[in-house]
Amino acid sequence: MKNAATGSAEKARLIIIPSLLAAVLGFLLSSNHGTRPVQAFSSGPPAGYTGAPGEEPEACAECHVPSDAGTGHITISAPQTYVPGQTYPITVTHTNPDPSRIRWGFELTVLDTSDEISGNLQNLDGLTQVLNNSGPGSARQYIEHTAAGTFIGQQNTASWTFDWTAPATDIGVVTFYAAGNQANNDGNTSGDYIYKTFVAAVPFSATPDFDVGVAPSLRSVVPNASAQYTVTITPSAGFGGVVNLGASGLPSGASYGFNPSSVNITDASPRTATLTITTDASTPLGDYPIIITGSSGSLIHNKQVSLKVISPSSIDLSVSKTASPNPGSVGSSLSYRVTVTNNGPATATNVSLTDALPAGVTLNSSSSPTGPCSGTGPVICAIGSLPANTSAVATIVVTPNTQGQIVNSASANASETDNDNSNNTAMITTLIQPAAVSPSMLDPNLSVHTVINGLSQPTSIALFGNAFFVLEKDTGKVKFVMNGAVQQIALDLAVNSASERGLLGIALHPNFAFNHFVYLYWTESSTGADSTNLADVALLGNRVDRYTWNGSTLIFDRNLIKLRAYQADANQSLRGNHNGGVLRFGPEGKLYILMGDNGRRGFLQNNQLGPVPDDQYGGPEPDDAHLTGFVLRPNDDGSTPTDNPFYNAATSLTGEAAANIKKLYAYGVRNGFGLAFDPLSGNLWDQENGDDAYDEMNRIT
């Protein structure tokens, strides 16, 4: 129940908000080429353009089409309720079928009932940026698009996802205000459509209650088969008791069952049940919204998921696309890696991948191990047959000729009926920077020239004689290079290259000329094939392995250590960053292994005491599942030297924790990609990246 004062305040807010929302995002994506001077906000507008209370009321209407003109919409995906201190993904989405809308932008802020900053916004990628201490009174926080996040040339829709951490305490209702521009990119403010919206989130009830969560949100199933969902009941405010589970909306011929049929809440821990929906031969094909219900006395909560009944003879092709490097530069190779996956259920035949190629690039090469590629724009690769749950990869290398943003799209098709056409096309926007200044060589005895090109995301090299090994992060290939050409693939590993994972580090044994030992640091895909899916990795998916070079291939000898790779926390997106991966041999013949904090914000251990508690695998001792952010120092066979600095300091620990403490040479590594010994002094140095500043060079003692 609301009291009278609260009700009056909310009514007043609803009256005031529409008039204030006229003050929306002005000149968001204009260029300075019109008939009058305009502001160019393609790299993000100034703070205070969301339509929130207290912002300039006519900021957008002065130059743009009046608010909410045209056929478009803007929406905010945010939690309806929040738990203090928890982090939630927020998504702002534009939709507009008008084909003239080919550039997009937004700005968002979050305020409490006093119109003051609420919680904390965090960007997740280069598509968004955060403005702190901004807006009215320099007292608010905003998040908005960057230049890379305007999606030039993209039609129909655009979206941005970022994180919002709720306030540490219950402050009542919070409101997300957003405004955005759907532009025609003609260089003028006229014809740019402005839209705005707001949504509210309330604290999770102080009255004993529970929440129903279901994953995944969509399952596909053929007739005469089953699909499963995980249902999670999360109690709050001391709720206890039995929650009965039910489902409705099933298609004809389908039945369901929960295991268990009800959950008993006895403490603050969530409880889960498995929902199995089984179809029969008569179940018609189609999409069905399934309502999952949890009830306990008078408390009833619903969650909607989707069930897609598909033909056994159909397929589901999905396309993903990456670009490396991103940003690129004029005159330098840019590699597109396009992955086509058949999610089944049938085998896809005559699979064809078409890459449109953007304007302003020159094609260097195109290849796919499963079939030939042809054409100079578009490039068409004949993939052939793809059994269910398998993938094929095409690599397309181009050279950008002009700076700016280029948009490249790729799509796939096959002979069979595709039961989901929404994922057949992938698009990527790449920022192309001016050509790098050519290096000037001051020593007349040295020169600069290209030894090898056409590599896909090279990470490390190891020199020996007049040859070297070079690693490719995303393909998992170790290439043997000599005389300016790849002589052969020495090794091809099934890597997970999502985020900062992949084939990362290499070191040759100091006596390589005699024993031919090669050491690799890599992230193993749990699928048995190369993957860019953050979930496709084992908990201990980072490996350091020793191989033997026989002159043509690398032969596995032994695993030295397995390190943490999988990182997931409640209400957090999966992370695959800060894996480190550098390997070096010291002057005394010991191996040094550098690993970052695995996305754990600088903490050595993954445990319940961290800023984002890890409640999955226990702790706090640094056992195998909780050891991150370090430099390890094993012997060349993986055993532990007795002269390590903490070898005798782990007397109070046993098992994995004690063994791992003994392996440590240094700790406190956040995120490093460099490790080297000074050849004169023997000092060990590491390089560590800050978040967006405060990079470090550290001498490790």
Side-chain angles (χ1 to χ4, degrees):
M1 294 291 291
K2 303 173 183 176
N3 61 37
T6 302
S8 298
E10 292 184 357
K11 290 178 181 177
R13 174 180 289 271
L14 292 175
I15 294 172
I16 293 171
I17 283 174
S19 63
L20 290 176
L21 284 175
V24 290
L25 206 62
F27 311 122
L28 256 175
L29 304 169
S30 306
S31 300
N32 199 11
H33 300 296
T35 57
R36 51 171 291 187
V38 297
Q39 294 171 303
F41 292 162
S42 60
S43 60
Y49 283 72
T50 69
E55 296 178 352
E56 179 62 37
E58 298 299 331
C60 300
E62 293 177 357
C63 298
H64 291 295
V65 171
S67 299
D68 297 316
T71 58
H73 298 88
I74 184 173
T75 59
I76 304 171
S77 174
Q80 294 180 333
T81 61
Y82 69 86
V83 175
Q86 291 292 319
T87 299
Y88 301 90
I90 309 297
T91 300
V92 174
T93 301
H94 278 302
T95 55
N96 196 330
D98 183 347
S100 70
R101 303 300 99 188
I102 56 174
R103 204 170 185 188
W104 316 79
F106 85 103
E107 187 174 80
L108 176 142
T109 192
V110 192
L111 305 178
D112 62 16
T113 54
S114 298
D115 297 331
E116 296 180 353
I117 184 173
S118 177
N120 184 56
L121 295 162
Q122 306 114 39
N123 62 306
L124 300 176
D125 51 38
L127 303 178
T128 59
Q129 58 192 342
V130 174
L131 307 177
N132 291 307
N133 304 315
S134 302
S138 299
R140 294 180 181 175
Q141 184 190 46
Y142 295 82
I143 193 165
E144 63 186 19
H145 67 270
T146 61
T150 59
F151 308 112
I152 300 176
Q154 184 168 310
Q155 295 177 316
N156 301 320
T157 185
S159 66
W160 304 262
T161 297
F162 43 89
D163 278 350
W164 172 72
T165 300
T169 60
D170 180 351
I171 62 169
V173 178
V174 301
T175 304
F176 297 80
Y177 297 91
N181 189 359
Q182 302 175 2
N184 56 16
N185 200 34
D186 66 353
N188 294 296
T189 57
S190 60
D192 291 354
Y193 296 157
I194 302 298
Y195 300 92
K196 75 282 182 182
T197 190
F198 65 94
V199 297
V202 299
F204 207 56
S205 175
T207 304
D209 205 343
F210 65 88
D211 181 55
V212 178
V214 186
S217 60
L218 169 67
R219 284 290 194 196
S220 296
V221 65
V222 299
N224 268 337
S226 299
Q228 291 188 330
Y229 302 81
T230 299
V231 181
T232 302
I233 305 299
T234 303
S236 64
F239 173 85
V242 175
V243 178
N244 298 304
L245 303 172
S248 60
L250 275 66
S252 61
S255 59
Y256 76 88
F258 286 93
N259 183 25
S261 59
S262 61
V263 296
N264 187 19
I265 304 296
T266 58
D267 53 31
S269 301
R271 298 290 192 274
T272 61
T274 300
L275 166 63
T276 302
I277 298 179
T278 303
T279 59
D280 66 14
S282 67
T283 302
L285 307 182
D287 297 325
Y288 300 94
I290 307 299
I291 305 299
I292 298 173
T293 302
S295 61
S296 179
S298 61
L299 293 176
I300 301 176
H301 296 293
N302 298 320
K303 185 70 68 174
Q304 180 175 304
V305 295
S306 296
L307 179 71
K308 189 183 199 62
V309 184
I310 59 177
S311 169
S313 62
S314 69
I315 61 170
D316 175 20
L317 292 182
S318 62
V319 180
S320 63
K321 189 179 186 73
T322 60
S324 177
N326 192 357
S329 59
V330 173
S332 297
S333 293
L334 175 67
S335 178
Y336 290 112
R337 180 176 168 86
V338 189
T339 302
V340 182
T341 302
N342 176 22
N343 300 306
T347 295
T349 61
N350 299 316
V351 179
S352 177
L353 171 68
T354 301
D355 191 299
L357 288 191
V361 303
T362 300
L363 177 67
N364 297 342
S365 64
S366 58
S367 62
S368 172
T370 55
C373 296
S374 61
T376 59
V379 171
I380 300 175
C381 296
I383 302 298
S385 295
L386 271 183
N389 302 313
T390 61
S391 300
V393 177
T395 302
I396 300 170
V397 182
V398 301
T399 299
N401 302 317
T402 57
Q403 66 184 81
Q405 288 183 317
I406 58 175
V407 180
N408 192 13
S409 63
S411 59
N413 60 73
S415 297
E416 290 72 25
T417 299
D418 196 309
N419 59 64
D420 183 2
N421 291 313
S422 65
N423 55 1
N424 289 32
T425 298
M427 182 178 296
I428 190 168
T429 300
T430 308
L431 176 65
I432 305 301
Q433 299 174 330
V437 178
S438 298
S440 298
M441 191 57 65
L442 303 180
D443 188 327
N445 296 313
L446 298 176
S447 63
V448 176
H449 65 278
T450 300
V451 176
I452 190 73
N453 56 24
L455 300 173
S456 180
Q457 300 185 30
T459 54
S460 304
I461 62 172
L463 301 166
F464 59 101
N466 64 343
F468 62 89
F469 295 117
V470 60
L471 310 186
E472 291 185 338
K473 173 184 182 294
D474 58 333
T475 68
K477 293 177 180 177
V478 182
K479 294 185 174 180
F480 173 59
V481 179
M482 188 169 60
N483 300 325
V486 175
Q487 301 300 315
Q488 64 248 10
I489 307 300
L491 183 65
D492 189 356
L493 297 167
V495 296
N496 183 297
S497 61
S499 187
E500 294 169 2
R501 299 174 183 156
L503 181 51
L504 303 178
I506 184 171
L508 305 184
H509 193 280
N511 292 321
F512 172 77
F514 301 99
N515 60 29
H516 310 299
F517 287 153
V518 178
Y519 297 77
L520 297 176
Y521 185 127
W522 62 292
T523 312
E524 184 176 13
S525 168
S526 60
T527 68
D530 292 346
S531 172
T532 58
N533 186 347
L534 283 164
D536 291 344
V537 67
L539 174 63
L540 302 180
N542 282 320
R543 302 171 57 105
V544 178
D545 293 330
R546 188 169 81 181
Y547 292 81
T548 303
W549 171 242
N550 66 4
S552 60
T553 59
L554 288 170
I555 301 172
F556 178 78
D557 175 67
R558 69 184 63 187
N559 170 255
L560 272 67
I561 193 169
K562 293 182 180 181
L563 302 167
R564 182 164 179 141
Y566 185 78
Q567 189 58 55
D569 301 292
N571 301 310
Q572 296 279 316
S573 57
L574 294 178
R575 293 189 296 282
N577 58 339
H578 299 191
N579 296 274
V582 184
L583 301 178
R584 294 288 184 267
F585 271 96
E588 83 290 23
K590 308 302 182 185
L591 180 64
Y592 291 75
I593 304 168
L594 182 145
M595 180 181 178
D597 62 16
N598 211 208
R600 299 300 304 184
R601 284 87 172 168
F603 275 56
L604 169 66
Q605 299 157 243
N606 295 267
N607 59 51
Q608 299 95 324
L609 306 179
V612 179
D614 176 359
D615 55 5
Q616 297 176 309
Y617 306 108
E621 292 82 8
D623 55 24
D624 288 348
H626 300 89
L627 180 67
T628 59
F630 53 70
V631 175
L632 300 183
R633 180 180 180 259
N635 291 312
D636 63 352
D637 61 357
S639 61
T640 304
T642 58
D643 62 343
N644 271 0
F646 304 107
Y647 189 85
N648 296 316
T651 55
S652 64
L653 299 175
T654 59
E656 293 176 355
N660 289 336
I661 290 292
K662 292 180 178 181
K663 295 172 186 174
L664 281 176
Y665 187 76
Y667 59 91
V669 177
R670 175 187 181 273
N671 180 28
F673 296 97
L675 191 69
F677 284 90
D678 185 325
L680 296 180
S681 68
N683 288 334
L684 177 60
W685 293 81
D686 88 328
Q687 164 274 331
E688 296 188 38
N689 294 2
D691 189 357
D692 57 0
Y694 305 109
D695 297 344
E696 297 177 355
M697 293 289 292
N698 300 311
R699 184 163 69 91
I700 299 177
T701 59

